[in-house]
Amino acid sequence: MTITPPALSVFETLESEVRSYCRSWPAVFDRAQGSYMYDEDGHTYLDFFSGAGALNYGHNNPVLKRALIDYIARDGVTHGLDMGTTAKRAFLESFQNMILRPRDLPYKVMFPGPTGTNAVEAALKLARKVKGRESIVSFTNAFHGMSLGSLAVTGNAFKRAGAGIPLVHGTPMPFDNYFDGRVPDFLWFERLLEDQGSGLNTPAAVIVETVQGEGGINVARPEWLRALADLCKRRDMLLIVDDIQMGCGRTGAFFSFEEAGITPDIVTLSKSIGGYGMPMSLTLFKPELDVWEPGEHNGTFRGNNPSFVTAAAALDTYWADGQTEKQTLARGEQVEQALRAICEEHVRLGAEYRGRGLVWGLEFTDKSRATAVARRAFELGLLIETSGPESEVIKLLPALTVTPEELDEGLRTLARAVNETA
């Protein structure tokens, strides 16, 4: 497929230089359905990006679209702050019945605002309020958002520098396998907590991603997560799991921490919780942590009723039984087999892969290769992004609704892109 970059005059002359994805994919997209996007020139692209994980159920999912159209057509409430609405009630009931009760999770549900970073900010504020301490521990290569509190617990130097001011009250610790297995888990963390001269103030909480998406698809082992949960309990620290990109079924189970058998004190959700790609986020926490005063954390768009509608439809359609989880794990095996074949074919490039469910990364010894592969994949009609501190990892994030045929098509295109840039 030959793609002629469009004349992006209005984007280049009027829009801020901060734009990023459009630089990697120089097309003007016009419509999308399922796992495909189409530009205004008629080119077709298979989407293995899924709105950075906001489109787990694909573009314009017909079930969710019908629920949304029906709600709008009957003049359902669009903007409601945190007022009670029928749409909010339906979502809360579905979330309780489909997600929380079957997993015996006791969480209260907070609507902090429409974005993931707002959910993280609320989690950090709540942890500090409950414990009366300021320090938060995060992990190397973590990404938790672009507002100041979230940036303070984010590892990426480029993103942190954008704050323009010192980022304080956050302390990084080594993520799982940071030392390639040469150092016992949490040796440094435990030593700092024990040593009165370490300079580490007793943390209010620890925040972690079970799979670091933006950090390079770094997968924490279940035993590492269990040890972390135990450490938090022993040292009177709250455990926050940021499930914004890896939740909502991305790793198989609805929550990515289920495999480890832990129950975090606080969980953040966003991206695909709304189902349709519209803004929505949740901060979940154990009932005893619900010490908020009314209005102590609020926002104009925390009552996004159209998102409640599509979120409830997604839960009712995809999470009433265990089929979505089983399908995701099966599709994940399909991806793993294809990535294994690519790595075996390109041993000289030092290729390796890692992932869970339907989130996978492919890395080469030459850190610049990932960008070249992603660029060639776009030319061949496949949308993939890179991740990691040096954009050194090819990141695969197809929709959970992707068919085996679509998955095979994308993986063959990826293999071709790797071959043609080797």
Side-chain angles (χ1 to χ4, degrees):
M1 177 169 61
T2 300
I3 300 171
T4 303
L8 301 177
S9 58
V10 69
F11 304 114
E12 293 170 344
T13 60
L14 188 59
E15 192 178 1
S16 166
E17 292 298 319
V18 78
R19 64 193 188 280
S20 61
Y21 290 114
C22 59
R23 300 180 189 275
S24 300
W25 302 326
V28 176
F29 296 100
D30 179 56
R31 59 189 183 89
Q33 208 286 315
S35 290
Y36 291 94
M37 298 189 73
Y38 307 89
D39 70 19
E40 62 180 359
D41 295 323
H43 297 118
T44 301
Y45 303 84
L46 182 55
D47 185 3
F48 274 23
F49 172 64
S50 300
L55 295 164
N56 280 3
Y57 310 107
H59 293 273
N60 287 302
N61 183 291
V63 176
L64 312 189
K65 179 166 62 175
R66 174 44 54 193
L68 179 59
I69 289 173
D70 290 347
Y71 183 76
I72 293 172
R74 72 169 184 81
D75 292 329
V77 174
T78 295
H79 184 265
L81 294 165
D82 66 359
M83 293 183 286
T85 64
T86 56
K88 181 196 280 191
R89 181 173 60 200
F91 167 72
L92 285 170
E93 289 174 347
S94 290
F95 192 68
Q96 183 177 51
N97 294 332
M98 303 292 178
I99 305 301
L100 297 181
R101 278 180 178 161
R103 293 160 179 79
D104 197 26
L105 294 173
Y107 296 134
K108 298 289 289 290
V109 178
M110 174 183 178
F111 301 104
T115 64
T117 194
N118 202 310
V120 170
E121 295 285 356
L124 300 180
K125 286 170 65 174
L126 181 61
R128 287 167 169 143
K129 181 178 175 66
V130 168
K131 292 299 183 183
R133 309 176 204 138
E134 297 177 351
S135 178
I136 304 289
V137 166
S138 57
F139 291 94
T140 50
N141 291 313
F143 178 79
H144 296 290
M146 298 296 282
S147 49
L148 292 181
S150 300
L151 276 178
V153 291
T154 287
N156 186 284
F158 173 75
K159 293 180 173 64
R160 288 175 62 89
I165 61 172
L167 297 169
V168 297
H169 309 307
T171 302
M173 291 291 166
F175 190 71
D176 191 14
N177 204 40
Y178 188 73
F179 294 110
D180 300 320
R182 297 191 302 270
V183 177
D185 295 337
F186 307 114
L187 175 65
W188 177 240
F189 195 177
E190 289 261 26
R191 185 69 56 84
L192 291 181
L193 289 170
E194 294 169 356
D195 186 357
Q196 295 300 306
S198 70
L200 175 65
N201 296 328
T202 303
V206 176
I207 186 168
V208 67
E209 304 154 274
T210 66
V211 180
Q212 295 181 327
E214 299 305 309
I217 317 300
N218 305 311
V219 183
R221 293 166 296 141
E223 55 267 32
W224 186 86
L225 292 169
R226 287 192 289 270
L228 176 61
D230 178 69
L231 175 60
C232 288
K233 185 176 181 179
R234 286 189 287 107
R235 295 290 182 173
D236 189 32
M237 303 178 293
L238 297 179
L239 176 60
I240 305 169
V241 168
D242 182 342
D243 235 3
I244 287 167
Q245 188 168 87
M246 297 304 155
C248 301
R250 176 54 57 181
T251 63
F254 186 85
F255 295 106
S256 70
F257 56 80
E258 291 182 52
E259 180 188 24
I262 63 174
T263 302
D265 298 292
I266 304 175
V267 180
T268 60
L269 289 174
S270 187
K271 292 191 182 287
S272 277
I273 187 60
Y276 201 68
M278 294 187 299
M280 180 174 171
S281 71
L282 308 177
T283 304
L284 313 175
F285 39 83
K286 293 179 178 178
E288 61 269 25
L289 304 181
D290 194 8
V291 298
W292 292 113
E293 296 291 335
E296 194 171 11
H297 185 98
N298 58 21
T300 304
F301 294 102
R302 66 193 184 279
N304 195 347
N305 284 268
S307 292
F308 293 155
V309 171
T310 53
L315 296 177
D316 295 342
T317 302
Y318 294 100
W319 295 98
D321 54 33
Q323 292 308 305
T324 295
E325 179 175 352
K326 292 177 182 177
Q327 177 176 293
T328 298
L329 294 175
R331 301 286 190 271
E333 291 177 2
Q334 185 179 349
V335 176
E336 184 174 11
Q337 291 172 7
L339 294 183
R340 183 185 301 117
I342 290 173
C343 291
E344 290 174 352
E345 183 177 351
H346 296 279
V347 174
R348 63 184 179 82
L349 299 179
E352 63 177 48
Y353 64 92
R354 52 186 178 266
R356 281 178 59 195
L358 274 176
V359 52
W360 291 86
L362 179 63
E363 185 176 7
F364 303 95
T365 301
D366 179 357
K367 294 183 181 297
S368 66
R369 186 167 300 281
T371 297
V373 170
R375 184 181 302 115
R376 181 56 182 149
F378 171 75
E379 295 170 350
L380 296 171
L382 177 67
L383 301 181
I384 52 175
E385 69 166 334
T386 59
S387 69
E390 299 177 67
S391 298
E392 73 275 19
V393 179
I394 296 167
K395 181 180 180 183
L396 305 181
L397 214 64
L400 306 187
T401 53
V402 67
T403 67
E405 295 75 21
E406 291 167 343
L407 203 51
D408 184 60
E409 175 190 346
L411 293 168
R412 282 189 282 107
T413 302
L414 173 63
R416 179 180 169 185
V418 173
N419 288 332
E420 295 181 0
T421 56

